[in-house]
Amino acid sequence: MAILSVENLHRRFGGLHAVNDVSFQVTAGQIKAVIGPNGAGKTTLFNLVSGALMPSSGVVRFQGKDIQGRRPYEIAALGMARTYQNIKMFAGMTALENVMVGCHLRGKAGFFSSMLHAPWTWGEERAVLKKSMELLELLEIGECAHVLATSLAFGQQRAVELARALAMQPSLLLLDEPAAGLNIYETAEVGRLITKIRDMGITVLLVEHDMSLVMDISDEIVVLCFGEKIAEDLPAAIQNNPEVIRIYLGE
Amino acid sequence: MKRILAILPLLAAVVLVQLLTTWTGTQFYLTQMTMAAYYSLLIIGLCVLMGYAGQISLGHAGFFAIGGYLSAALTTRSLVPFKEAALVRLLDSCGLLHAGKDLYGAELLVVTPWAAAVFAVLVAALIAVAIGIPVLKLKGHYLAMATLGFGIIIYRLVLATPWFGEADGISGVPPFHLFSGVTVSGESSVRIMNYYLAWGVLLSGLVLLINLMQSRIGRALRAIHGSEEAADAMGVNIARFKLQTFVLSAVFAAIAGVLLTHYNGGIGPSEAGVMKSVRYVAIVAVGGMAHLWGAMFMGVLLNFLSLRGVFGSYDDAVFGLILIVIMLFAPDGILSLLAGRKKKAATVQPVQQDGEA
């Protein structure tokens, strides 16, 4: 069953067709990768799916609902989480607090009950704290919990961002270059982690440049080039697709 | 419990100041300390808006003035000429009006301070909603300019409206009997009680805001400040949270306006002036933007000095200078200089296992 389907999606920036008539589906429970050379429109595609950008035309359907044109917070509430290519930490907040923001949608405390520190918010607050701590431990950065997120090392920030997205308990997780800037050991670790996330029942859609990672973990791959989809297949077939080889290696 | 304990030293300081002034026979200081406490109530509300939610407002004197002017006008302007109007009769039958005699023995019919206060704060909140919905879509200096425009409108309105006393403002505002035995009034016989009342209000406000900042809502607000895009993707309804914070800070300003007006027995147009708004922003900046304690401390200190006339005729110039110096040398507030630059983002003790408090 398709958890996400993209149909004839277009996005133009002036005369540039950043995403041009792209259609594909993501089946629940799989890891699907979007690859392509720089400027292929991968991040634009992510922004269109997550609501950060409005499509010029086309349909994005998530869990049976048309979501194109909805605000990101509404799409998040439907169960979609994402990370960013250039990490977006909440400056001025600790790693733990960053992850706790990820639990926002699970909480109910409002302005008044929060101001009064009302007893019925305590249980929720404890649960959020426990859950967030568990996620940090899962990503092996528990000891950084009380450090300001922006002062952590790059790889750790990446982990905090992932923990934050997982705290939303999403059904679909969009990962924008999760291995960018990591060495081969860390990349392998991220690969294992993404597989683990899939095994937790979370569908994963990722953009990635690291081909060995993509080939290792993906169930299916979509290839974009200059905003257009040029291939969609199993990893082994993509590796032997002459068109893909042409755009990656040249003639 | 921890949060209550954190307030205790401050509470002790408040009592100490009162005792000191009594022993040394300098109780007149308490009057300015009372007024400074009310101004600081506005300051901490603005601190949440600016420092945590990241929205600047150069129009908060306007909300202060809405609270102050409405309660002043309603509790002093006689409704005798409209006695037969249906609305006035309805209010009277609800017990919201108060009949009396003015200085010259003429019949007087005014709104009771409680009803006027509730009405004034409600109006401030509604105006904040009406202004906030369009204006909070703006960012940075565009937002600053739009709120500045709002402040100017309120200033010119009170200056041009006879009902608000034009350039004279409104005087003869009656005392506000909050509940039995507690009255907001500038009479020297109730000076000590009013000092404690003002500080009680300020500290209650501080506790409420500290609670807010350490909650789900506070984290969402700080997240908006940290990265709007990521907060949006986490499911934080940014527009709504900005608006709610704007309204909250407007309500704090209006309550400060109501109480201070009853305490002073009047209000003048300078309270609505743009320079007042600039001063409030300057004080929040000195306190360290996202630092409730710093904002409150600086609010009390600078307002006290200003009210004592320490800055003389250069009052507004001093606050302008403070703003420039702070922006240049200590954009994270004066306390950050003391604590060293490293701690610049430290806020109200972020998260602690405090569920049992």
Side-chain angles (χ1 to χ4, degrees):
Chain A
M1 194 200 90
I3 186 170
L4 177 78
S5 69
V6 172
E7 292 162 23
N8 307 105
L9 201 61
H10 284 270
R11 170 71 206 204
R12 282 178 289 275
F13 294 111
L16 174 75
H17 292 260
V19 170
N20 193 5
D21 201 22
V22 170
S23 305
F24 66 90
Q25 294 197 332
V26 181
T27 308
Q30 69 172 189
I31 296 176
K32 186 141 189 166
V34 178
I35 63 170
N38 285 327
K42 305 181 295 290
T43 296
T44 304
L45 179 68
F46 262 32
N47 286 337
L48 292 173
V49 170
S50 67
L53 274 178
M54 294 276 239
S56 303
S57 67
V59 176
V60 181
R61 193 168 293 127
F62 178 52
Q63 297 197 320
K65 295 190 183 75
D66 284 3
I67 58 165
Q68 72 276 10
R70 291 207 202 182
R71 301 284 308 146
Y73 74 89
E74 297 172 308
I75 295 173
L78 293 174
M80 192 190 298
R82 71 168 295 184
T83 65
Y84 295 89
Q85 185 180 350
N86 31 7
I87 305 171
K88 292 186 195 299
M89 288 284 100
F90 297 128
M93 300 176 80
T94 64
L96 181 62
E97 287 177 306
N98 262 274
V99 181
M100 289 171 87
V101 175
C103 300
H104 180 80
L105 284 167
R106 306 271 149 194
K108 289 188 180 58
F111 257 83
F112 287 105
S113 51
S114 294
M115 275 199 274
L116 297 171
H117 193 40
W120 59 87
T121 63
W122 298 355
E124 174 185 308
E125 199 65 11
R126 260 196 301 267
V128 164
L129 196 61
K130 185 160 167 281
K131 172 90 192 159
S132 305
M133 209 55 221
E134 278 170 14
L135 284 167
L136 286 175
E137 310 261 319
L138 176 76
L139 294 172
E140 294 168 0
I141 44 168
E143 72 278 10
C144 306
H146 298 287
V147 181
L148 277 182
T150 41
S151 57
L152 290 173
F154 185 76
Q156 292 171 322
Q157 291 194 25
R158 190 126 263 168
V160 171
E161 201 185 34
L162 194 54
R164 193 173 71 181
L166 289 175
M168 295 170 68
Q169 301 181 17
S171 48
L172 175 66
L173 178 59
L174 308 186
L175 300 174
D176 199 348
E177 300 205 23
L182 302 184
N183 64 36
I184 52 170
Y185 302 107
E186 290 166 333
T187 301
E189 186 58 41
V190 163
R192 277 192 290 278
L193 192 62
I194 293 173
T195 316
K196 203 160 153 192
I197 289 169
R198 193 255 322 265
D199 295 342
M200 286 158 64
I202 299 171
T203 311
V204 177
L205 177 65
L206 77 153
V207 162
E208 186 50 65
H209 270 304
D210 188 302
M211 280 309 134
S212 62
L213 175 67
V214 169
M215 295 302 163
D216 271 355
I217 64 170
S218 310
D219 298 310
E220 274 179 2
I221 297 176
V222 172
V223 186
L224 292 185
C225 185
F226 292 117
E228 290 181 38
K229 184 176 95 173
I230 57 167
E232 179 178 10
D233 217 326
L234 302 177
I238 291 289
Q239 273 173 315
N240 299 320
N241 183 313
E243 178 119 23
V244 176
I245 293 170
R246 190 181 62 78
I247 63 162
Y248 267 95
L249 299 179
E251 311 265 352
Chain B
M1 265 327 276
K2 261 185 221 157
R3 301 177 191 195
I4 309 289
L5 288 179
I7 296 288
L8 278 182
L10 188 58
L11 216 52
V14 170
V15 175
L16 192 66
V17 166
Q18 185 263 314
L19 291 177
L20 274 177
T21 56
T22 304
W23 289 335
T24 55
T26 51
Q27 287 197 8
F28 48 84
Y29 284 127
L30 292 184
T31 300
Q32 287 88 36
M33 284 299 282
T34 305
M35 294 169 71
Y38 285 135
Y39 281 124
S40 299
L41 186 65
L42 178 152
I43 302 281
I44 57 174
L46 187 60
C47 173
V48 167
L49 180 69
M50 284 176 51
Y52 293 92
Q55 307 302 302
I56 193 166
S57 168
L58 278 170
H60 259 51
F63 292 115
F64 181 94
I66 290 169
Y69 264 100
L70 278 179
S71 57
L74 289 170
T75 55
T76 53
R77 302 293 187 222
S78 182
L79 293 171
V80 171
F82 314 103
K83 218 174 171 180
E84 296 312 311
L87 180 65
V88 175
R89 291 228 298 265
L90 178 71
L91 290 175
D92 203 8
S93 60
C94 295
L96 299 177
L97 298 186
H98 170 78
K101 296 259 190 283
D102 71 9
L103 285 174
Y104 310 103
E107 200 185 352
L108 191 67
L109 186 65
V110 293
V111 180
T112 62
W114 258 116
V118 170
F119 179 75
V121 173
L122 273 180
V123 168
L126 286 177
I127 291 179
V129 172
I131 299 283
I133 289 174
V135 159
L136 291 174
K137 291 192 180 122
L138 305 173
K139 287 187 204 300
H141 44 278
Y142 298 103
L143 177 64
M145 279 196 243
T147 52
L148 181 66
F150 161 73
I152 292 171
I153 290 173
I154 297 293
Y155 176 61
R156 298 312 303 194
L157 276 182
V158 298
L159 207 52
T161 312
W163 197 61
F164 289 131
E166 295 173 323
D168 297 330
I170 299 173
S171 54
V173 177
F176 185 173
H177 299 282
L178 280 178
F179 36 87
S180 74
V182 180
T183 304
V184 181
S185 156
E187 297 269 337
S188 54
S189 59
V190 288
R191 182 145 61 194
I192 293 181
M193 186 184 74
N194 268 274
Y195 167 75
Y196 280 114
L197 177 66
W199 277 87
V201 170
L202 175 60
L203 293 189
S204 310
L206 183 68
V207 169
L208 291 179
L209 294 183
I210 288 177
N211 281 341
L212 184 67
M213 283 312 122
Q214 295 187 347
S215 72
R216 166 177 179 262
I217 307 292
R219 285 192 299 270
L221 291 177
R222 291 159 60 199
I224 292 174
H225 199 11
S227 165
E228 274 199 26
E229 196 183 343
D232 202 354
M234 301 281 117
V236 177
N237 186 339
I238 291 173
R240 204 179 78 202
F241 275 91
K242 279 184 184 172
L243 184 65
Q244 285 178 334
T245 314
F246 191 63
V247 173
L248 178 74
S249 69
V251 164
F252 267 59
I255 291 174
V258 169
L259 293 175
L260 191 54
T261 299
H262 282 286
Y263 183 70
N264 286 340
I267 185 169
S270 71
E271 289 296 345
V274 167
M275 270 316 296
K276 281 279 182 180
S277 293
V278 172
R279 162 182 307 204
Y280 300 143
V281 169
I283 292 174
V284 172
V286 178
M289 292 293 190
H291 202 298
L292 278 168
W293 286 94
M296 192 202 71
F297 182 71
M298 284 301 157
V300 171
L301 179 71
L302 292 175
N303 275 302
F304 179 76
L305 293 178
S306 168
L307 289 163
R308 285 302 303 170
V310 172
F311 308 133
S313 308
Y314 299 108
D315 208 34
D316 285 340
V318 167
F319 281 95
L321 183 68
I322 286 175
L323 199 52
I324 295 174
V325 171
I326 284 294
M327 287 303 143
L328 277 177
F329 301 111
D332 297 311
I334 214 141
L335 294 177
S336 70
L337 289 183
L338 301 177
R341 294 221 144 229
K342 280 205 164 170
K343 279 192 169 176
K344 67 174 186 176
T347 51
V348 261
Q349 315 215 321
V351 183
Q352 20 182 285
Q353 281 84 338
D354 198 21
E356 75 287 354

